[in-house]
Amino acid sequence: MSVVSIKPKTSSKKGTKEEKIYDAIIIGGGPAGLTAGIYLSRARMSTLLIEKALPGGQAILTEIIENYPGFPHGIAGPELMQKIEEQAVRFGLKIEYGEVAEVKIKVDKEDKVKIVKINNQEYKTLTIILASGAEASKLEVPGEEELRGRGVSYCATCDAPFFKDQKIVVVGGGDTAIEEALYLTKFAQEVTIIHRRDRLRATKILQERVFSNKKINFAWDSVVTKILGKEKVEGVLIQNKKTGEEKVISCQGVFVFVGNIPNSKFLNELIKLDKKGYILTDDNMMTSQEGIYACGDVRKKILRQVVTACGEGATAAFAAQKYIEELKGVSYK
Ligand code: NAP
């Protein structure tokens, strides 16, 4: 890394008012971004976190998180995230709301300033921590878009009470699908899990629970080819991948949990991504651009959990802090 000794608190152009240059801007307020916020605020770095909706990320859509250490009986997703946010704000983290449209690097200067653009407003910063997470993938079948919100859902915690005593199908075989299917049984009369293989991807403890739940049955080796209904969902057309056989399952709800897509489009080729759009980093969470870090679900990695997101957020923040201190010529060696 090249070292430029500067003290960049504010910058000014002729005739314009002084502009603040943050030490760090964190994009995304899930567990990774908020944890980075805790560490940077405690390091007394001037830090702004930008969140497009509610802080907490996808974890706030989780009824109960059972594998976050320290909570032997689990903790509700929204409660855990609210506590992490409170902790970050207590140490001085500033949060602003808006959707980031673009991230740029100022090319004409040696001062390493990066620019984060939200609508028409530009924020300047020495480092960026990308913690923009991921969002639910779609099935991309006929009827899905048309019946979204009319029986098609991507969030059991949000919509389950609308399906009291009704028949529901859940699509997918990962941790999310199985956890959400189990949650849905508290409301629904019957839940059918439609999975494209003959076994589940989900963690074994979730498999044990789902196989012993009498309200849940399975359509194995099957894919949904169409969601049926005019005003609201009336059923799904499924096809067995091994036999080619088609059949209709009548239901009032279709819950889709077929993985996630990373929120990285706004980066516009600024940094290196893998084929699926996940951000590539080194061990210290640095991306292909000096001074830009990534953590949490938007990053390419093997395990997507709240606990890994928090760990990566802490690492990214610490690496960013070292980078900033070196830029300012104040590093403690
Ligand atoms: P995931 O692990 O990627 O699983 C997605 C599931 O959907 C897979 O079973 C996949 O089938 C299936 N699928 C993908 N595309 C499909 C399509 N077009 N049609 C039909 N089925 C399709 O996603 P996830 O369950 O949302 O989990 C994401 C990450 O979060 C994982 O790392 C997971 O471990 C983590 N997570 C953890 C917890 C927890 O620890 N309690 C809870 C939720 C999520 P294949 O199996 O054939 O690929």
Side-chain angles (χ1 to χ4, degrees), residues 62 64 66-67 138-139 171-177 179 194-197 199-203 206 222-224 257-260 297 302-305:
T62 306
I64 186 116
E66 285 187 330
N67 51 7
K138 308 285 176 299
L139 272 177
V171 191
D175 284 335
T176 309
E179 269 189 356
I194 302 168
H195 184 38
R196 63 185 181 184
R197 297 203 209 193
R199 63 195 177 105
L200 298 173
R201 179 184 285 277
T203 311
L206 295 176
S222 299
V223 288
V224 171
F257 304 111
V258 292
N260 295 294
D297 279 4
I302 188 172
L303 183 62
R304 296 196 159 76
Q305 307 275 301

